[in-house]
Amino acid sequence: MKKDNFTIGILGGMGTYATINLFRQYAEIFEANKEWDRPRIIIDNRCTMPSRVRAFLYKENVDELIKQMSESIRNLINMGGDNVKIILACNTSHLFLPRIYELVPEAKNKIVDLISNSVNQIQLDNVNKIYILGSEGTIESGVYNKEFEKKGIECQVPEQKEYIMLRDCIEAVKQNKYSDDIENKFIELMSKGDTILLGCTELPILYQMYKEKIKNKKIYDPVLIVLKKLRDEYNKNTLEI
């Protein structure tokens, strides 16, 4: 594959600051002396979509959400071509992929999903126990737990009484409004495990803000895992030309 044909497509806006962070991570991971040394990236910041969490928990606006996600994925494929690699910048959104594939079957081989790639990497690292932080949709659905259990990896998740803390932390990032209270809540949540998966795209932003106060932790960010995988694939293809 010519490097000019290597395109990354992002379905973002879930939320916007998480998508901005993903773009920053892309720029850092794909190191370049010249801009054209990086692959093309196309971002659809579709912040107008219905809530993924509410769609799962309360069956709210599910059809509309799937319609809009499918439209954006199809547009990314049309813009990026046959070799586009698509990232959904939201862990909870992966719950709706089966129905999206029914509408956009060509997307099945183009979406580089956060869930399976994270689980595979964590297995390769010989992790046998992991603590999962994420949205209520991600936790209640067990979307990560099911995949980890297949690999024999033990999962721990927050208690239901801690969901409000998670919700407050995620909303703080979505609104770009931080406080000592948010810092304290995030640090408390992070104190519950030694190896932690940040299974919501907002949480790595908080981790970067407060990581100096979070000690002796091994942290996994699914977006970083996927971007590094794409970087390795891009570099391999470039070297082979």
Side-chain angles (χ1 to χ4, degrees):
M1 183 197 306
K2 293 181 179 179
K3 73 175 187 177
D4 290 348
N5 293 333
F6 194 107
T7 301
I8 299 171
I10 307 296
L11 175 48
M14 307 179 280
T16 296
Y17 285 98
T19 304
I20 292 169
N21 187 54
L22 190 158
F23 188 47
R24 179 189 61 79
Q25 291 173 314
Y26 148 85
E28 292 174 353
I29 288 170
F30 287 89
E31 296 179 1
N33 292 320
K34 300 292 184 181
E35 283 298 331
W36 51 81
D37 292 333
R38 294 189 176 93
R40 179 187 182 192
I41 185 168
I42 303 167
I43 299 175
D44 182 351
N45 197 65
R46 194 158 186 166
C47 50
T48 53
M49 286 188 291
S51 165
R52 282 65 54 199
V53 173
R54 295 189 67 84
F56 171 74
L57 292 178
Y58 310 119
K59 311 304 178 189
E60 183 178 290
N61 296 319
V62 176
D63 291 340
E64 180 61 24
L65 172 62
I66 290 168
K67 173 178 173 290
Q68 290 194 35
M69 287 181 66
S70 298
E71 287 175 353
S72 287
I73 289 167
R74 188 177 289 110
N75 289 340
L76 289 169
I77 293 171
N78 290 339
M79 293 180 68
D82 289 340
N83 296 316
V84 67
K85 314 290 184 181
I86 296 174
I87 300 173
L88 307 183
C90 169
N91 290 262
T92 308
S93 69
H94 288 66
L95 293 170
F96 306 99
L97 279 176
R99 284 193 59 185
I100 289 167
Y101 290 148
E102 292 176 5
L103 297 175
V104 193
E106 62 271 29
K108 202 162 189 177
N109 297 322
K110 302 183 189 306
I111 290 177
V112 188
D113 77 275
L114 302 180
I115 312 299
S116 64
N117 281 286
S118 297
V119 172
N120 289 340
Q121 182 60 56
I122 289 166
Q123 182 189 33
L124 286 173
D125 290 347
N126 296 314
V127 172
N128 54 35
K129 185 176 182 180
I130 193 154
Y131 186 67
I132 302 169
L133 290 177
S135 72
E136 292 167 64
T138 296
I139 294 170
E140 286 292 316
S141 68
V143 64
Y144 272 107
N145 304 51
K146 294 169 187 174
E147 296 304 313
F148 278 124
E149 287 166 4
K150 291 177 185 176
K151 307 288 188 181
I153 299 171
E154 181 184 347
C155 299
Q156 294 181 318
V157 298
E159 299 177 22
Q160 285 192 350
K161 64 183 180 181
E162 295 172 313
Y163 286 0
I164 183 110
M165 295 169 62
L166 272 166
R167 197 181 310 137
D168 289 346
C169 288
I170 291 167
E171 284 301 314
V173 178
K174 287 180 180 291
Q175 297 174 23
N176 197 32
K177 293 179 180 178
Y178 304 100
S179 65
D180 291 342
D181 180 56
I182 293 299
E183 178 180 346
N184 292 334
K185 285 177 178 176
F186 184 69
I187 291 172
E188 181 179 344
L189 288 166
M190 293 291 288
S191 71
K192 303 298 178 70
D194 292 320
T195 303
I196 300 173
L197 174 79
L198 299 177
C200 173
T201 49
E202 273 76 30
L203 297 180
I205 296 174
L206 290 173
Y207 177 67
Q208 288 301 316
M209 292 176 66
Y210 306 130
K211 66 180 179 181
E212 297 303 322
K213 299 181 181 180
I214 299 167
K215 306 298 182 184
N216 303 319
K217 305 290 181 182
K218 186 166 181 59
I219 308 299
Y220 287 95
D221 174 356
V223 168
L224 275 178
I225 290 170
V226 164
L227 285 174
K228 288 176 180 177
K229 175 181 178 176
L230 292 178
R231 177 199 59 195
D232 293 345
E233 184 178 341
Y234 177 72
N235 289 340
K236 180 177 182 290
N237 288 331
T238 302
L239 290 172
E240 289 178 348
I241 293 172

